[in-house]
Amino acid sequence: MHDLRALRADPDSFDAALRRRGLSPVAHAVVSRDEARRAALQALQEHQARRKVLAREIGQGKRQGLDTGSLETEAVELRDDIARLETQAGAIEREIADTLAGLPNRLDETVPDGKDEEQNLTVRTFGAPKEFPFAARQHFELGEALGLMDFPTASKLSGARFTVLRGALARLERALGQFMLDIHTTEFGYSETSVPLLVNDTAMYGTDKLPKFAEDSFRTEDGRWLIPTAEVPLTASVAGEILDVRTLPIRMTALSACFRSEAGSAGRDVRGMLRQHQFSKVELVSVTRPEESDAEHERMTRCAETVLERLDIPYRRQLLCAGDTGFGAAKTYDLEAWLPGQQAWREISSCSNTRDFQARRMSARFRTEDGPVFVHTLNGSGLAVGRTLIAVLENYQTEAGTIIVPPALLSYMGGTTVIEAGR
């Protein structure tokens, strides 16, 4: 959500920020509607004050035996006008709130201009794309040949975009999640959290997933939502709170299942595990003071990068351009891992600073000497477990089709050093 006072103070700047995202100006229309709301509230206050005076005059008149008919008629008219003005002001307020709720976050000034991912900037690289003396295979080719990645059974059970993992691949997925959690909790100070997989409308709205992304999520018959990411319950856990500044920054992490409808992705990545309705992810969430959020964004991104570096997976950090930055983010870094089977860089983590955008929607603040101030919230993947599994399979494959277990994961794999067919 946006600060209406700031919008009123500088509508042209607000519209300039929208234009960077390719959106039409709205600020002056919002200001006009806000002026109508404020006029209705002013009239309402005047009517309410007059009604109090009338009530006193009618009471005095009746005690003195005077005719108060005209005063009573005016009181009835005032009552009707007050009801009308209350309805009018409330309707305009909801209209403004709905308009602002549908507008994306203002971009950080360091975000480059650009329409799509082709204009993103590479700001860091690690490792070099691996070259094999044989034709590298894609993860689903490797997994199916091993007999450990089963798409037909998943389709029989649930339909398209689901996967059944078996044996050593199932254990490798579990090992990756545990490996990530251990790094983030023991080295980087994140507090491990087990979160609900179902949340209400308020939690989804507060973390900017509603109303814009309703079609991207699954809703249950009783009106709750399967979480698209643990960002939702982790961030929403501070909704409505006025936090003690001494508790900041708050850093939380969770390994959870995530659920996405993949609306609009028909025909994209239909083979394999890259784009699934259900997947596991280790989420990182930070709640900070405003002056700390930029540094926290860099820190969070480095936490995610550390996982890839420990696994020796080549990656690049991308600063997303204006046209590719997500709805709720002021600034986003994507980490893209190299997949030899695809001969392509693919996103494996996205780390965003939302500034006070989410905090305003869910009224999350901290106490200062001058009164409550909105916190800043950040979220990132540390990492997407399924996509990390893909990166391991493709980067650690052998010509025989086996998978070498990365050294960093050996202690999690019960003595397995090489994943072979049927095991």
Side-chain angles (χ1 to χ4, degrees), residues 180-193 253:
M180 295 172 193
L181 282 179
D182 285 349
I183 289 176
H184 296 313
T185 56
T186 64
E187 298 185 34
F188 299 131
Y190 286 88
S191 176
E192 183 174 353
T193 312
T253 184

Side-chain angles (χ1 to χ4, degrees), residues 1 97-98 100-102 200-211 225 232 357-358 360-362:
M1 191 67 77
D98 289 344
L100 295 180
N200 56 28
D201 286 356
T202 302
M204 289 286 281
Y205 176 85
T207 51
D208 64 62
K209 306 303 178 284
L210 291 181
W225 299 86
V232 174
F357 186 77
Q358 292 179 330
R360 288 182 178 277
R361 296 172 77 102
M362 61 184 182

Side-chain angles (χ1 to χ4, degrees), residues 99-132:
T99 298
L100 295 180
L103 297 176
N105 201 351
R106 297 184 66 159
L107 296 170
D108 183 80
E109 61 183 14
T110 62
V111 171
D113 291 331
K115 293 183 178 181
D116 54 37
E117 61 185 16
E118 296 300 321
Q119 282 77 54
N120 294 340
L121 296 181
T122 301
V123 296
R124 174 184 168 84
T125 61
F126 171 82
K130 294 186 177 181
E131 298 182 3
F132 295 94

Side-chain angles (χ1 to χ4, degrees), residues 38 45 53 108 237 250 262 323:
R38 295 166 76 186
Q45 292 172 354
V53 172
D108 183 80
S237 67
I250 297 171
E262 292 297 336

Side-chain angles (χ1 to χ4, degrees), residues 246-264:
R246 293 172 296 181
T247 68
L248 301 179
I250 297 171
R251 298 184 178 115
M252 299 171 281
T253 184
L255 169 60
S256 77
C258 306
F259 305 89
R260 297 184 187 174
S261 67
E262 292 297 336

Side-chain angles (χ1 to χ4, degrees), residues 228-251:
T229 163
E231 170 204 342
V232 174
L234 288 175
T235 307
S237 67
V238 299
E241 301 288 337
I242 300 180
L243 303 167
D244 186 331
V245 67
R246 293 172 296 181
T247 68
L248 301 179
I250 297 171
R251 298 184 178 115

Side-chain angles (χ1 to χ4, degrees), residues 33-269:
R33 296 303 291 151
D34 185 54
E35 289 173 349
R37 180 187 67 87
R38 295 166 76 186
L41 290 174
Q42 178 65 32
L44 177 61
Q45 292 172 354
E46 293 172 355
H47 281 46
Q48 289 170 334
R50 175 57 182 161
R51 185 170 65 172
K52 290 180 180 179
V53 172
L54 278 175
R56 186 168 55 251
E57 291 178 350
I58 290 170
Q60 291 174 348
K62 285 186 175 181
R63 285 192 296 272
Q64 297 171 7
L66 301 176
D67 181 5
T68 60
S70 62
L71 295 178
E72 292 179 39
T73 298
E74 183 182 354
V76 171
E77 292 174 350
L78 277 175
R79 181 194 63 193
D80 294 341
D81 285 345
I82 287 173
R84 175 182 58 80
L85 288 167
E86 286 176 337
T87 300
Q88 179 183 345
I92 296 174
E93 185 173 0
R94 288 190 296 274
E95 177 188 337
I96 292 172
D98 289 344
T99 298
L100 295 180
L103 297 176
N105 201 351
R106 297 184 66 159
L107 296 170
D108 183 80
E109 61 183 14
T110 62
V111 171
D113 291 331
K115 293 183 178 181
D116 54 37
E117 61 185 16
E118 296 300 321
Q119 282 77 54
N120 294 340
L121 296 181
T122 301
V123 296
R124 174 184 168 84
T125 61
F126 171 82
K130 294 186 177 181
E131 298 182 3
F132 295 94
F134 55 88
R137 288 187 276 182
Q138 297 193 53
H139 71 280
F140 53 85
E141 298 171 314
L142 293 162
E144 288 181 316
L146 290 168
L148 303 177
M149 189 176 290
D150 187 347
F151 298 106
T153 298
S155 180
K156 178 177 67 175
L157 295 172
S158 306
R161 298 192 185 276
F162 290 91
T163 309
V164 170
L165 296 178
R166 304 185 187 280
L169 283 193
R171 179 158 190 165
L172 182 60
E173 181 187 47
R174 175 162 56 90
L176 283 166
Q178 186 65 54
F179 171 68
M180 295 172 193
L181 282 179
D182 285 349
I183 289 176
H184 296 313
T185 56
T186 64
E187 298 185 34
F188 299 131
Y190 286 88
S191 176
E192 183 174 353
T193 312
S194 179
V195 296
L197 301 183
L198 289 167
V199 295
N200 56 28
D201 286 356
T202 302
M204 289 286 281
Y205 176 85
T207 51
D208 64 62
K209 306 303 178 284
L210 291 181
K212 184 174 178 60
F213 300 107
E215 290 187 357
D216 294 329
S217 298
F218 291 107
R219 195 174 194 186
T220 62
E221 291 184 354
D222 66 358
R224 289 178 289 187
W225 299 86
L226 287 167
I227 61 170
T229 163
E231 170 204 342
V232 174
L234 288 175
T235 307
S237 67
V238 299
E241 301 288 337
I242 300 180
L243 303 167
D244 186 331
V245 67
R246 293 172 296 181
T247 68
L248 301 179
I250 297 171
R251 298 184 178 115
M252 299 171 281
T253 184
L255 169 60
S256 77
C258 306
F259 305 89
R260 297 184 187 174
S261 67
E262 292 297 336
S265 66
R268 296 178 60 194
D269 299 316

